[in-house]
Amino acid sequence: MEKRKLSKKTIFKLILALLSLAYLGFCIYAGITGKFPPMHETEYVMHFRKLKNWVSGGISSIILAALLVNSAINDLTPKNEHKKSFLPFFIAVFIPIIFLILLESYLDIGWAGIILYAVITAFLFGIALIPTVLNKLIARQLLSEKSMSGKQQMQITEWIHFYPLKKLLLLSLWCFGIVLILRGFWVVSIGKIEMNVEIILFLLGITILDGVFLRKIKRYVSTPYHCIPMLNHILSKNQLEQLLDGERFEPIQSDNHSTNQYSEVYQSQNWILVNGSLFSKKMTLCFTVDYRNHDSWLNVIYLNGMTTKIKVNINSGNTRDHKFRYIMNELIGCKVPLKLYEKEEQLAQKFDSLFPDNISNQERIFTFLSQDVTQIRHDFIQTFSQPIYTHNKKQSRQNLK
């Protein structure tokens, strides 16, 4: 592996980082001993409100030292090697800052200050982690050995991301705006409040907001089962429930131990559940993985040319996203690379040709999902398969090991 030598620029960064850490030690010394009175004066610091000079100086030195060390590490990292994760950098900054704040609190009011900050931190982390924990607990109900109807499974899946609650909150917020408008006109009409410019602008603003968001909220609330992307805009609620009847979900079984690093993935005979979203094995032609803005997205390409995407919890820049894509495509029986770039129209035409009768798109897709489509899928894969060289095929297999 290619390694870079220490340049003068990198050495200068490391020296500055050491000086920043030395200043951090001075700030801690000043805070503990009570010496250097100017260091104990309070100043207003953005985002942190009022802090003592030794605390704000220590926080600044921590951030500066972490930035300099991270920049020096990037200088020593070969260009062709993937950058390290941001998490170590965040931890290197977060923990010392928390230590300084706790130290200040302890020096001011003793252990009560530390307990107070600990309770606040635990509360905030609890709020952040509760949705994730509930998501997993709800999803695992699908693994129950008890027989469930398609409607019951759909309701459980819908609650993984709290879609019914989101619908209720949006609808309640919109209705609250209507109540404010009616209440405003009522108190003005009975003379309880005199009509003025502020009242007019307030009522006009609420009316405009309710009018603008009416269509979007109505569409969101009326859409059945947000847990099935794309299909929920085509099929009815009853049809989606019928397609889930008789399905039994189980965790994916794979010889590759790295699947444990990914978000929970369940499968049944005809469906795949990824991050609380359901995808039909019959309808899905191919999965791809994109990495944008530090997030990994699973792109789903359907046989009729339509596409959708969801966020997945994997790291990019290494072979894990390729393994995840390989495993997902293996679940739907697509084991060869496909050439699908700008093929949406061709896919749609081929899919429509399967149904010579003049029927609606809803009937076409429901009929397709209600029958055995093994041969049809095989024909699609053969038609859009991309030839690869033997050398590249062997190399890709080695990368997946």
Side-chain angles (χ1 to χ4, degrees):
M1 181 184 294
E2 179 188 357
K3 292 186 177 180
R4 295 186 178 184
K5 296 182 179 180
L6 283 173
S7 63
K8 294 182 179 179
K9 182 179 178 181
T10 305
I11 294 174
F12 181 68
K13 292 178 182 178
L14 293 175
I15 292 175
L16 289 179
L18 290 175
L19 292 176
S20 298
L21 294 176
Y23 182 70
L24 171 62
F26 167 73
C27 291
I28 295 175
Y29 174 77
I32 294 176
T33 60
K35 298 180 179 180
F36 308 100
M39 297 296 290
H40 292 268
E41 297 177 358
T42 58
E43 301 289 345
Y44 180 84
V45 181
M46 187 184 305
H47 298 301
F48 292 97
R49 300 295 179 180
K50 288 186 176 181
L51 291 177
K52 293 180 180 179
N53 287 334
W54 70 269
V55 178
S56 60
I59 292 175
S60 300
S61 63
I62 291 171
I63 296 175
L64 179 60
L67 289 172
L68 289 170
V69 171
N70 185 67
S71 179
I73 293 175
N74 289 336
D75 291 342
L76 297 174
T77 303
K79 292 183 178 180
N80 57 353
E81 186 175 336
H82 177 61
K83 302 292 184 181
K84 301 297 182 182
S85 172
F86 181 77
L87 184 60
F89 173 77
F90 175 78
I91 295 176
V93 175
F94 182 75
I95 292 180
I97 290 177
I98 293 298
F99 170 76
L100 282 180
I101 295 175
L102 290 177
L103 178 61
E104 180 196 20
S105 181
Y106 174 76
L107 294 174
D108 288 343
I109 58 177
W111 287 103
I114 294 181
I115 294 174
L116 178 63
Y117 273 104
V119 171
I120 294 174
T121 302
F123 176 75
L124 294 177
F125 272 97
I127 292 177
L129 293 176
I130 283 175
T132 303
V133 173
L134 289 178
N135 290 345
K136 293 183 178 181
L137 291 176
I138 295 172
R140 287 171 185 173
Q141 292 185 20
L142 294 172
L143 304 179
S144 174
E145 296 181 357
K146 297 181 180 179
S147 178
M148 291 186 291
S149 65
K151 182 177 181 180
Q152 290 175 317
Q153 295 187 82
M154 289 299 305
Q155 290 174 344
I156 292 174
T157 309
E158 190 77 346
W159 269 102
I160 293 177
H161 289 296
F162 311 106
Y163 288 120
L165 181 60
K166 292 176 182 178
K167 290 181 180 181
L168 179 61
L169 291 176
L170 284 176
L171 188 59
S172 299
L173 185 62
W174 186 85
C175 291
F176 181 69
I178 297 296
V179 172
L180 286 179
I181 296 171
L182 296 177
R183 176 65 177 172
F185 281 111
W186 170 253
V187 296
V188 170
S189 63
I190 64 176
K192 191 174 182 179
I193 296 179
E194 294 183 0
M195 179 69 73
N196 53 38
V197 177
E198 292 182 359
I199 296 296
I200 294 175
L201 291 178
F202 175 76
L203 294 177
L204 182 61
I206 297 297
T207 304
I208 292 174
L209 286 175
D210 265 21
V212 169
F213 290 104
L214 174 60
R215 177 177 294 182
K216 293 182 178 180
I217 292 177
K218 180 181 178 182
R219 182 173 55 187
Y220 186 87
V221 172
S222 61
T223 300
Y225 298 129
H226 290 263
C227 58
I228 304 186
M230 197 275 287
L231 293 180
N232 60 349
H233 294 285
I234 300 174
L235 302 179
S236 67
K237 187 175 182 179
N238 291 332
Q239 288 175 330
L240 293 173
E241 293 171 356
Q242 291 178 32
L243 294 174
L244 264 292
D245 279 334
E247 298 292 324
R248 298 291 295 270
F249 284 91
E250 59 183 14
I252 59 172
Q253 301 294 329
S254 176
D255 296 334
N256 196 326
H257 70 278
S258 62
T259 55
N260 297 326
Q261 303 170 5
Y262 309 132
S263 303
E264 292 186 336
V265 180
Y266 301 150
Q267 69 165 334
S268 66
Q269 182 179 356
N270 297 308
W271 295 89
I272 301 175
L273 179 69
V274 187
N275 274 12
S277 297
L278 281 168
F279 301 101
S280 170
K281 290 183 178 180
K282 295 181 178 180
M283 196 69 188
T284 305
L285 179 60
C286 180
F287 290 103
T288 62
V289 177
D290 287 340
Y291 185 70
R292 298 191 306 274
N293 298 327
H294 304 288
D295 293 322
S296 297
W297 294 86
L298 181 66
N299 297 323
V300 187
I301 304 174
Y302 296 100
L303 271 73
N304 62 350
M306 300 185 69
T307 60
T308 187
K309 60 183 178 181
I310 63 167
K311 187 185 294 186
V312 289
N313 185 25
I314 57 174
N315 293 328
S316 185
N318 49 38
T319 59
R320 281 196 286 176
D321 55 342
H322 301 295
K323 292 177 183 177
F324 181 74
R325 180 185 61 187
Y326 175 82
I327 292 169
M328 295 301 296
N329 285 322
E330 192 176 46
L331 292 177
I332 60 175
C334 181
K335 299 181 180 180
V336 296
L338 302 180
K339 188 176 182 180
L340 300 175
Y341 181 69
E342 295 184 348
K343 298 288 186 178
E344 293 84 0
E345 185 176 351
Q346 187 175 347
L347 282 169
Q349 292 176 354
K350 184 175 179 59
F351 184 80
D352 293 343
S353 66
L354 300 175
F355 305 88
D357 298 333
N358 187 18
I359 59 176
S360 64
N361 190 36
Q362 181 183 26
E363 295 174 333
R364 184 183 303 117
I365 292 180
F366 182 73
T367 302
F368 178 81
L369 295 176
S370 302
Q371 59 182 332
D372 184 9
V373 296
T374 305
Q375 187 58 40
I376 297 176
R377 287 184 51 79
H378 180 73
D379 180 54
F380 269 80
I381 293 173
Q382 290 294 324
T383 302
F384 295 95
S385 61
Q386 180 180 3
I388 57 176
Y389 295 103
T390 305
H391 174 73
N392 293 338
K393 187 174 182 180
K394 291 181 178 179
Q395 185 176 2
S396 62
R397 287 181 177 176
Q398 292 176 356
N399 291 336
L400 291 173
K401 293 182 179 179

